Amino acid sequence: MYLADRGSAASTSAAPGDRRAVPDRRPGRRAGSALPSTVLVLGTVSLITDISSEMVTAVLPLYLVAELGLSPLGFGVLDGVYNGVSALVRLVGGRLSDRGGGGGHKTVAVVGYGLSALCKPLLLMVHSLPLIGAVLAVDRTGKGLRTAPRDAMISLAAEPGTRGRAFGVHRAMDTAGALCGPLVAFLLLRAAADGYDAVFTVSFCVAVVGVVVLLLFVPRRAAIATEGTVVAGPAVVAGDAAAVEPSALAEDAAGRAPAGPRAAVGPRAAVGPQAPVRALLGRPEVRRLTGCAVLLGLTTLSDSFLYLTLQRRLDLPVAWFPLLPLGTAAVFLVLAVPLGAIADRIGRRRLFLAGHLALLCAYGLLLVPAAGGAALVCTVLALHGSFYAATDGVLAAATADAVPEDVRGSGLAVVQTGQTAARFVCSIAFGAVWTAWGDRTAVLAAAVGLALAAAVSARLLRRAGTPSPPASPSEQTS
């Protein structure tokens, strides 16, 4: 089996002399199953949806720059809108899903996926930059609404000690779709007379299939109080779950999740479901993770800019441009699961920083004058894919460890919003520097900034390595 059998682990985790245990009745989990079915179904939805979205993403940079004559600065603004609008609604999606009770996560996710699907045919009807920007903004609104609820469902379906692997499996399935999308776009551009129109039409049809799978096969969650395997010890029973300190969910000094069964966190143990952002940021782990995500996001180039830089360095033909994302997606697909498992073992914060070092190496290769040809493309794309495999699901898993279950969607949204907003700023700044001083200067500035941000983040996350001391028995029962 790929993932450990959690049913057997739960049955053997009771304290000596205490045979009472609340079985794991989580929706989407089968007895003896190696992996929660909820993770697999959500992975399938993401796979289908990514085929759709990556078909558009693969051709969009060249469509805007080559077909519509957009300048690097103009593309930077539009790319920032494409990637940054979701930051404005991620908190909304997280809060709405937490307020919605047992089925809130699925409901908000369905709205988000459906909204993005509806935007695909609209790209056939608009041809001016303002209208295209508006359609992309609505599409990213759907992305922002669905991301935190989806990740919350994954984190709630998996045990803390294997969340890295659960997110790795989901991201691997997601990336399989990202691998197929550009390939389909490449074939359509070569086969169809109106290549771009064909890409947008097929993309819409595929997106509808993803929404249908989500509606039919992802279960609506039950109330959080029924979730998880709670061993009935002296102070930890189903009715006294609120007595457990939230710090029990914190990672250890190496950034690993705590071993053993997951203890429930009471509805108001630390942060209530209606808590504002400042209450979540009042938790040291969430504050440090958000700060690091923002710092590193400010120097993380968008995929589109990285591919445009490679295309200009090698003067690639237009028809071959959609194949560049395939390299990144292939490496991401291969490494997502093993790196997720490594993160569970060595610490998620360490792997998160290591992934940004891989991205820094990719920036360095883009600056080497003598480098060129297929070797440059393969190496840069391999480093780019390694960066995503080491950071995407790993950050979500680390964030899930730092927030209680009843505000999981909001907690994930806080960190993701900070990261996405920072990348929005990066896209605009990179496009401005490229327009003023050229692409090499822009890449150099991003590389220097990333090195400094990684150094600061390493210091911040090292300080987060010391977990809070456990509460005394009197404090737990007070």
Side-chain angles (χ1 to χ4, degrees):
M1 289 187 298
Y2 180 70
L3 296 183
D5 185 347
R6 292 165 191 143
S8 61
S11 65
T12 60
S13 60
D18 191 345
R19 298 182 180 179
R20 296 176 298 155
V22 180
D24 189 351
R25 297 190 180 91
R26 219 168 308 175
R29 290 178 67 102
R30 300 183 301 273
S33 175
L35 188 68
S37 61
T38 296
V39 176
L40 294 175
V41 176
L42 286 171
T44 302
V45 173
S46 293
L47 185 153
I48 297 170
T49 303
D50 248 37
I51 293 176
S52 169
S53 61
E54 291 301 323
M55 286 175 61
V56 175
T57 302
V59 303
L60 195 61
L62 212 59
Y63 175 68
L64 295 174
V65 174
E67 288 286 315
L68 302 182
L70 200 62
S71 69
L73 176 58
F75 177 75
V77 173
L78 202 56
D79 187 64
V81 170
Y82 185 72
N83 292 291
V85 165
S86 62
L88 302 177
V89 294
R90 287 196 187 205
L91 284 173
V92 176
R95 294 290 298 280
L96 288 177
S97 66
D98 288 336
R99 288 180 176 181
H105 294 135
K106 178 180 177 179
T107 301
V108 177
V110 168
V111 173
Y113 279 105
L115 195 60
S116 294
L118 291 175
C119 288
K120 301 300 189 296
L122 294 180
L123 290 172
L124 294 169
M125 308 173 191
V126 297
H127 299 91
S128 65
L129 293 181
L131 291 178
I132 291 176
V135 171
L136 294 179
V138 175
D139 175 75
R140 291 298 90 182
T141 298
K143 169 75 172 176
L145 285 175
R146 71 181 184 246
T147 299
R150 181 204 64 201
D151 286 351
M153 285 189 282
I154 295 171
S155 70
L156 292 170
E159 297 296 334
T162 55
R163 280 193 189 123
R165 279 179 284 180
F167 276 104
V169 169
H170 172 268
R171 294 317 195 248
M173 297 179 72
D174 180 276
T175 307
L179 190 65
C180 297
L183 183 60
V184 175
F186 169 74
L187 295 175
L188 288 173
L189 283 178
R190 292 179 65 88
D194 296 323
Y196 292 114
D197 289 350
V199 168
F200 298 150
T201 302
V202 175
S203 173
F204 167 67
C205 296
V206 175
V208 171
V209 175
V211 176
V212 172
V213 172
L214 176 62
L215 282 170
L216 296 181
F217 298 106
V218 174
R220 291 177 64 86
R221 282 187 37 79
I224 293 176
T226 66
E227 184 171 334
T229 300
V230 180
V231 179
V236 187
V237 293
D240 295 326
V244 181
E245 274 294 307
S247 60
L249 294 178
E251 294 181 343
D252 63 14
R256 295 181 291 269
R262 178 172 55 186
V265 177
R268 300 293 187 271
V271 183
Q274 314 300 330
V277 174
R278 63 178 177 272
L280 285 164
L281 292 176
R283 301 175 65 86
E285 298 91 346
V286 177
R287 187 168 59 250
R288 292 189 181 107
L289 283 171
T290 304
C292 293
V294 169
L295 281 175
L296 295 167
L298 286 171
T299 55
T300 300
L301 301 186
S302 71
D303 299 351
S304 300
F305 268 129
L306 187 139
Y307 301 145
L308 282 173
T309 303
L310 275 175
Q311 193 268 341
R312 293 205 171 191
R313 286 285 306 272
L314 303 177
D315 196 23
L316 291 176
V318 170
W320 292 91
F321 184 82
L323 294 182
L324 290 178
L326 290 179
T328 297
V331 176
F332 191 177
L333 176 63
V334 171
L335 295 182
V337 174
L339 287 184
I342 290 173
D344 289 333
R345 292 178 178 234
I346 70 171
R348 290 155 191 166
R349 295 186 294 265
R350 292 175 179 173
L351 191 65
F352 181 69
L353 290 173
H356 284 87
L357 293 180
L359 182 63
L360 182 60
C361 292
Y363 291 174
L365 288 177
L366 291 175
L367 294 170
V368 176
L376 172 67
V377 174
C378 293
T379 306
V380 170
L381 295 181
L383 290 168
H384 197 221
S386 301
F387 156 71
Y388 276 118
T391 59
D392 189 21
V394 172
L395 178 61
T399 304
D401 292 332
V403 294
E405 291 178 352
D406 57 340
V407 288
R408 186 65 51 77
S410 297
L412 287 164
V414 167
V415 177
Q416 292 167 354
T417 296
Q419 183 183 59
T420 307
R423 291 180 177 180
F424 169 79
V425 175
C426 179
S427 289
I428 297 177
F430 186 85
V433 175
W434 184 335
T435 302
W437 297 292
D439 58 329
R440 288 181 59 84
T441 302
V443 173
L444 177 61
V448 173
L450 180 57
L452 294 174
V456 175
S457 297
R459 183 174 182 84
L460 286 174
L461 294 180
R462 188 181 301 116
R463 290 176 58 191
T466 304
S468 302
S472 64
S474 61
E475 290 174 331
Q476 290 180 348
T477 58
S478 60

